[in-house]
Amino acid sequence: MIGVLVSGNGSNLQALIDAGLPVSAVASNRKDAYALVRARAAGIPTATFSLDCHADREERDLVMATWLEEHGVEFVALAGYMHLLTGPFLRRFPDRIVNVHPSLLPAFPGAHAIADALAAGVGTTGVTVHRVDDGVDTGPVLAQTEVPVEPRETLVERIHAAEHILLPEVVRALCAVAR
Ligand code: GRF
């Protein structure tokens, strides 16, 4: 069973659901994330773990990990989740957490990867799925798709389209191996 962490629109969550992957729980750090609406529409249990409601990030992450385990989660996908995970969470799902990022890591880590690639004037950027550690987009790369920058008017859409193919592919392969 897969748990998905989200903070925003949730188009990557939707891609996982539409691919028929067994998503059993969706957790967010923001109660207004549209991703939660998508999860509920698919009948998937949701919960919000806001930092405001916990003493610190470690405690929040522990409570979130326990909730995911209670929902049968063995594998975690970060799909637009905009917080770093702390050691207590990472140790609960060792080597079983992946993230999707809109650049060819290690180029352009962080929250503004598409804008940073445009500002740097590269001809090719892309999408990365990587294992998650406690750094900002630093875990080992599992798979990448190149996306040409031009035509730049449609770059954001083409990056997202590539994410919606690559993330479900990698999650499906990892879950098959874990069986
Ligand atoms: C994606 O571009 C993902 O790579 C990045 O945040 C965005 C989330 O989009 N980490 P969505 O919420 O899945 O639509």
Side-chain angles (χ1 to χ4, degrees):
M1 294 286 205
I2 300 163
V4 183
L5 304 190
V6 295
S7 299
N9 176 33
S11 65
N12 282 286
L13 166 68
Q14 193 69 55
L16 293 167
I17 295 169
D18 293 348
L21 288 160
V23 178
S24 66
V26 173
S28 176
N29 61 312
R30 299 176 56 114
K31 67 176 186 319
D32 60 349
Y34 184 67
L36 296 173
V37 175
R38 297 181 189 266
R40 286 185 210 115
I44 299 167
T46 65
T48 299
F49 300 90
S50 160
L51 265 185
D52 304 341
C53 304
H54 297 279
D56 53 30
R57 290 170 57 221
E58 282 78 4
E59 186 205 275
R60 186 272 303 275
D61 283 3
L62 266 179
V63 173
M64 184 163 70
T66 298
W67 182 80
L68 290 169
E69 284 176 349
E70 284 168 2
H71 287 79
V73 169
E74 300 157 308
F75 186 92
V76 178
L78 275 52
Y81 184 67
M82 300 308 279
H83 275 188
L84 288 179
L85 293 169
T86 58
F89 190 98
L90 299 172
R91 286 192 288 276
R92 293 283 275 278
F93 300 97
D95 289 331
R96 287 181 281 129
I97 311 174
V98 299
N99 179 43
V100 60
H101 181 79
S103 76
L104 296 175
L105 291 172
F108 312 119
H112 309 289
I114 300 176
D116 291 348
L118 282 170
V122 295
T124 302
T125 182
V127 169
T128 300
V129 177
H130 64 97
R131 287 198 196 278
V132 172
D133 61 17
D134 59 359
V136 178
D137 305 319
T138 49
V141 170
L142 294 167
Q144 294 184 309
T145 304
E146 291 190 357
V147 177
V149 167
E150 298 296 346
R152 60 185 57 208
E153 303 73 44
T154 59
L155 177 60
V156 171
E157 289 92 318
R158 288 181 290 112
I159 292 250
H160 289 315
E163 289 181 331
H164 300 161
I165 295 169
L166 192 64
L167 179 64
E169 256 178 32
V170 173
V171 170
R172 187 186 300 286
L174 291 175
C175 290
V177 168
R179 256 162 230 288

